[in-house]
Amino acid sequence: MTTRPATPEAIAQAAAILRAGGLVAFPTETVYGLGADATNGLAVAGLYAAKGRPSFNPLIVHVPEAAAAAAIATMTPLGKTLAAVFWPGPLTLVLARRPNRIIADLATAGLDTIAVRVPAHPIAQALLRAADLPIAAPSANRSGRVSPTTAAHVAADLADHVQMILDGGPTKVGLESTVVDVTGTDPVILRLGAVTVEDIARITGKPARIAAADDNAPASPGMLTRHYAPAARLRLNAHDVSAGEALLAFGPNAPQHAGATLNLSLTGDLAEAAANLFAALRDLDASGATAIVVMPIPSHGLGAAINDRLIRAARAA
Ligand code: TXA
Ligand code: MG
């Protein structure tokens, strides 16, 4: 494995690795992805093996523009409305899969729907265009770990399992894309993420329903209740912290604490908090504290997705 700054030469090499069926980790504006050729069943199988991911979990297929999405999925009016506003960007649309067999069955876990995203990150865009293939890319972490927001996070989880890591610095958004089922007339949010529920309701002019978490429904496995997990115990909505615990603070009124402390955003800015969340969980976990104590975080806007990740991380294994 090599971590390389994402120069044009490195991107060209990464594209060649993908075309040959190998695995490349690359930055998107949300989190780092672990990419494989979505048309190559063997490459996708290698990707599941690298992640240690249950194979019923379908993957997001990344393409450089909406026209490429239309080649593998059947666009709907609702999908068009959202794509026009949020693509390229941190939104994943679940659509009916075209019956043309371009995408390997394994990438969609045999479902007749497909999750498609057009990322905005210039390195992701350059890689997708150079590879000239739809790229299946889950977050580049081992299954059950928090998503990586730096190349170093990827290396810590997957160093022995990936041919190249393209380093594009820390990701901007820090939370995964919002996954929305747009096969019907009303949007159904399958995973809270970087695009808010309020945004989706406003743009579509429809109520945006949030699918219930269900550990037994492989149609929306992003809702598996335990999915983003540090090793330390998490205590949420806390106002006090004891010695031996680590503090994940938010906003200007954090309690005084002598032990490991990180503040997601001193000014109480939710976008900044989202960008810092996963790195902060990794760092506080590495401090060896018995528990990570998390201050209350408002649940509007991006706060809904932040709290969603924290609640999952807090569930006992
Ligand atoms: O921000 C992101 O979305 C990152 C970057 C790399 O693009 N990718 C990512 O992929 O988070 P992953 O594999 O970790 O999450 C895929 C999510 C899961 O919640 C999965 O259940 C859902 O998308 N999904 C994929 N295909 C689906 C389908 N056909 N129907 C319903 N949900 C689907
Ligand atoms: Mg993931």
Side-chain angles (χ1 to χ4, degrees):
M1 184 280 297
T2 37
T3 298
R4 296 192 49 188
T7 60
E9 296 72 37
I11 290 170
Q13 260 192 38
I17 292 170
L18 290 171
R19 294 194 65 83
L23 303 181
V24 171
F26 63 95
T28 79
E29 68 276 27
T30 57
V31 300
Y32 276 71
L34 177 63
D37 174 1
T39 69
N40 178 341
L42 274 179
V44 175
L47 199 159
Y48 283 117
K51 281 203 55 114
R53 157 177 283 199
S55 55
F56 52 74
N57 215 345
L59 305 171
I60 296 173
V61 176
H62 297 65
V63 291
E65 60 199 5
I72 55 176
T74 307
M75 244 322 155
T76 58
L78 195 57
K80 260 191 199 137
T81 302
L82 286 171
V85 175
F86 295 111
W87 277 358
L91 177 74
T92 295
L93 297 179
V94 171
L95 293 157
R97 187 183 167 194
R98 281 200 189 278
N100 56 21
R101 331 279 345 139
I102 291 176
I103 300 298
D105 284 331
L106 197 54
T108 59
L111 298 175
D112 52 14
T113 53
I114 184 168
V116 193
R117 166 153 124 82
V118 177
H121 196 294
I123 296 169
Q125 276 284 331
L127 180 64
L128 290 172
R129 288 176 196 277
D132 195 22
L133 287 167
I135 298 297
S139 50
N141 52 282
R142 291 283 291 178
S143 192
R145 305 250 299 153
V146 293
S147 293
T149 57
T150 67
H153 294 164
V154 179
D157 272 22
L158 293 171
D160 300 335
H161 301 275
V162 58
Q163 273 98 319
M164 192 192 284
I165 300 172
L166 282 175
D167 190 347
T171 60
K172 269 213 186 77
V173 178
L175 283 179
E176 299 88 344
S177 63
T178 304
V179 180
V180 189
D181 183 328
V182 289
T183 55
T185 51
D186 289 0
V188 180
I189 297 177
L190 301 180
R191 180 176 71 182
L192 294 165
V195 173
T196 66
V197 180
E198 293 92 326
D199 284 342
I200 289 169
R202 181 171 50 82
I203 298 301
T204 59
K206 310 244 181 181
R209 188 161 70 77
I210 302 172
D214 184 347
D215 280 353
N216 300 311
S220 54
M223 303 302 273
L224 285 176
T225 46
R226 183 174 171 87
H227 196 84
Y228 304 90
R233 197 162 48 81
L234 255 73
R235 187 152 63 79
L236 306 184
N237 298 314
H239 294 274
D240 58 284
V241 50
S242 324
E245 295 182 322
L247 175 64
L248 186 57
F250 176 80
N253 302 317
Q256 287 299 319
H257 180 49
T261 303
L262 289 172
N263 197 316
L264 289 173
S265 170
L266 279 168
T267 59
D269 179 72
L270 287 168
E272 187 186 14
N276 289 331
L277 177 67
F278 290 142
L281 286 174
R282 280 181 187 257
D283 289 350
L284 291 180
D285 209 14
S287 77
T290 53
I292 300 172
V293 168
V294 188
M295 285 177 66
I297 293 167
S299 58
H300 60 85
L302 280 177
I306 294 172
N307 281 308
D308 170 74
R309 300 305 187 274
L310 286 169
I311 289 164
R312 288 163 204 277
R315 291 237 163 80

